[in-house]
Amino acid sequence: MLFKLTDEQKMIRNMVREFSRKVIAPTAAERDRTKEFPAGNFKQMGELGLMGMMVPEAYGGESADTVSYVLALSEIAYSCASTSVVMSVQNSIVCESLNNFGTTKQKQQFLTPLASGKMIGAFGLTEPDAGSDPVSQATVAVKDKDDYIINGTKRFITSGKHAKVVLVTAKTDPDAGHKGISCFIVPKDTKGLIVGHEEDKMGLRASDTTDLIFEDCRVPASWMLGKKGDGFKIAMSGLDSGRIGIAAQSIGVAQAAFDAAVAYASQRRQFGVPVTKHQAIRFQIADMATQIEAARQLMLSAASMKDRKEPYTKEASMAKLFASEMVNEVTARAIQMHGGYGFTKDYVVERLYRDARVFTIYEGTSEIQRIVISNNILKDKRK
Ligand code: CAA
């Protein structure tokens, strides 16, 4: 690996690798079939400090750097992408936003239980008619004395069913564009917050994705995260961090597909020799390894820029764009290398191919990443 890891980063990666392959991997295929949410995994991951890795120790986290976090997340994704998406949203977006924008009281009340893994968090930005363009969202929050009353529907919310707390964006000034959006911390048992339709998805089947419906949902004004009108900024900066996490998930899944393909090809014989003796397979292996390594370097580079507190929006989008496109190609190639067997549920590559498909879509499509990257290079906006 070109990027030089510290001893501590290597130690964290190795510890999570061992845990992930021993505890998470054996039940991943079963979870894919049954869609069972891996609550037990999250309990153990919380005990290991994986559910709020970058949260300061003062709030029960590990004060880990981003590089360690993405290495850990890749290792979890290697074994179970469904488990990794919950870990990613929890760490990258929910904990990160609370840590960056929360008051001491909000952090004590919400960040500490999140960091310990006792509480799962969700992030509610997307709506039925506002996906790539979150400024056009329709959810509103109207001030009523010391409270806000929230009305609207959020869609495709990761952990919508199992989360105990949701960070939700809503318009507090519908005529002010992105400056009219605020963010609220809403515990799931708040009256008027209803879990709606649960999606039946192609992949990530053990992670629940639901609608969240807010019907006259009353929250105290003190649960506003950041200042009034900060909601879009909070969401965008959370997504910067989240996008490095999607790169990490992509790399974990790609590495798993690659390892499976190499293992399969090494024992599969055709034309009297192992298929790895055929140049067609050798070149596939070379291309896949190069693609994964390139993505890993982009991920580590973006993560270390974040750790150095440098602007990293463009690099996070580059890592997400490249890694998510890469994993779709690598998992497709891994199936091809398995031949007909790769098309069956007997081989892990079938699940990995399905799990990877959403990585170019959620937390900003590939097209959105290209907008973010080009906006940052050209320093103006598209028309
Ligand atoms: N950090 C902080 N602030 C940011 C920012 C960032 N990364 N990016 C933009 N902003 C600020 C800008 O500075 C600007 O503020 P000022 O006017 O004060 O200067 C403001 O936000 C508006 O910026 P833009 O004009 O660039 O915004 P836009 O409306 O053109 O949208 C966009 C930009 C990149 C298209 C953005 O809307 C976007 O990222 N869309 C995709 C949304 C997305 O990724 N959704 C995923 C859903 S969440 C999910 O999938 C989670 C899950 O559960 C797995």
Side-chain angles (χ1 to χ4, degrees):
M1 195 190 286
L2 300 175
F3 193 96
K4 193 157 168 39
L5 301 178
T6 63
D7 288 345
E8 193 181 343
Q9 288 162 348
K10 279 191 221 157
M11 199 232 351
I12 291 173
R13 182 199 58 195
N14 294 346
M15 181 275 286
V16 180
R17 179 174 295 170
E18 200 187 324
F19 165 78
S20 172
R21 297 191 192 181
K22 205 159 110 192
V23 178
I24 310 267
T27 46
E30 178 64 10
R31 259 196 303 285
D32 176 59
R33 268 192 297 277
T34 60
K35 295 173 70 179
E36 189 183 336
F37 186 75
N41 287 349
F42 295 121
K43 187 168 177 295
Q44 287 190 65
M45 287 164 66
E47 284 157 11
L48 287 174
L50 299 179
M51 297 307 278
M53 283 186 73
M54 296 173 290
V55 172
E57 284 172 34
Y59 295 105
E62 295 298 309
S63 298
D65 60 8
T66 313
V67 169
S68 301
Y69 162 62
V70 292
L71 292 169
L73 184 55
S74 281
E75 292 299 334
I76 298 294
Y78 184 97
S79 301
C80 177
S82 294
T83 304
S84 75
V85 67
V86 178
M87 174 179 170
S88 178
V89 170
Q90 172 103 350
N91 280 270
S92 305
I93 307 188
V94 178
C95 289
E96 182 86 3
S97 303
L98 275 164
N99 193 42
N100 289 341
F101 295 94
T103 62
T104 304
K105 200 165 166 222
Q106 288 171 342
K107 289 183 193 182
Q108 284 165 346
Q109 190 172 352
F110 300 104
L111 189 55
T112 302
L114 281 162
S116 71
K118 293 199 176 92
M119 196 187 245
I120 299 286
F123 170 61
L125 175 70
T126 300
E127 298 187 359
D129 297 317
S132 290
D133 177 19
V135 176
S136 68
Q137 66 186 268
T139 298
V140 289
V142 177
K143 187 100 195 279
D144 182 41
K145 299 192 187 85
D146 292 336
D147 297 333
Y148 275 92
I149 299 171
I150 306 175
N151 276 290
T153 297
K154 296 291 174 180
R155 177 145 297 167
F156 300 140
I157 305 307
T158 300
S159 307
K161 191 161 77 180
H162 288 92
K164 292 270 186 288
V165 66
V166 185
L167 301 187
V168 66
T169 57
K171 286 199 165 160
T172 41
D173 184 352
D175 300 322
H178 71 82
K179 291 194 165 79
I181 296 173
S182 300
C183 185
F184 297 88
I185 310 165
V186 187
K188 269 287 283 307
D189 55 6
T190 308
K191 195 161 168 257
L193 169 47
I194 302 146
V195 177
H197 170 72
E198 181 175 354
E199 305 296 342
D200 188 9
K201 309 192 299 289
M202 167 182 183
L204 302 186
R205 291 181 60 77
S207 138
D208 60 288
T209 305
T210 74
D211 280 5
L212 287 178
I213 301 154
F214 293 81
E215 266 179 20
D216 291 330
C217 180
R218 182 180 283 271
V219 297
S222 62
W223 285 352
M224 181 183 278
L225 183 62
K227 295 194 296 294
K228 191 174 167 207
D230 275 353
F232 190 70
K233 194 168 73 180
I234 293 170
M236 289 299 116
S237 60
L239 283 168
D240 283 348
S241 166
R243 286 165 184 167
I244 314 181
I246 307 305
Q249 289 180 62
S250 302
I251 289 154
V253 171
Q255 188 68 52
F258 176 76
D259 289 353
V262 170
Y264 177 81
S266 301
Q267 57 76 42
R268 172 75 172 167
R269 294 178 72 87
Q270 290 293 278
F271 302 104
V273 288
V275 294
T276 46
K277 293 287 177 208
H278 299 302
Q279 193 182 57
I281 297 294
R282 298 180 83 83
F283 280 15
Q284 291 276 9
I285 290 172
D287 285 349
M288 288 156 86
T290 306
Q291 284 176 301
I292 296 170
E293 192 53 38
R296 187 177 285 122
Q297 295 300 323
L298 280 175
M299 171 192 77
L300 290 171
S301 167
S304 60
M305 287 176 78
K306 176 169 176 284
D307 286 333
R308 293 195 300 270
K309 307 211 182 309
E310 294 170 16
Y312 69 98
T313 298
K314 181 181 73 185
E315 287 73 15
S317 281
M318 285 176 163
K320 199 266 183 192
L321 171 64
F322 187 85
S324 62
E325 301 269 333
M326 174 281 291
V327 69
N328 276 277
E329 206 180 314
V330 165
T331 51
R333 283 177 182 238
I335 288 186
Q336 193 70 18
M337 280 170 66
H338 279 72
Y341 294 107
F343 194 56
T344 71
K345 290 196 181 289
D346 293 340
Y347 286 82
V348 70
V349 288
E350 183 270 343
R351 166 166 55 89
L352 300 176
Y353 179 78
R354 286 185 287 106
D355 283 343
R357 187 59 193 90
V358 76
F359 295 163
T360 60
I361 298 171
Y362 67 16
E363 301 209 13
T365 59
S366 289
E367 293 72 20
I368 287 294
Q369 306 315 321
R370 291 185 173 99
I371 288 174
V372 172
I373 295 164
S374 57
N375 280 355
N376 273 272
I377 291 169
L378 297 168
K379 305 283 179 214
D380 66 1
K381 295 214 195 104
R382 75 203 187 283
K383 287 285 167 230

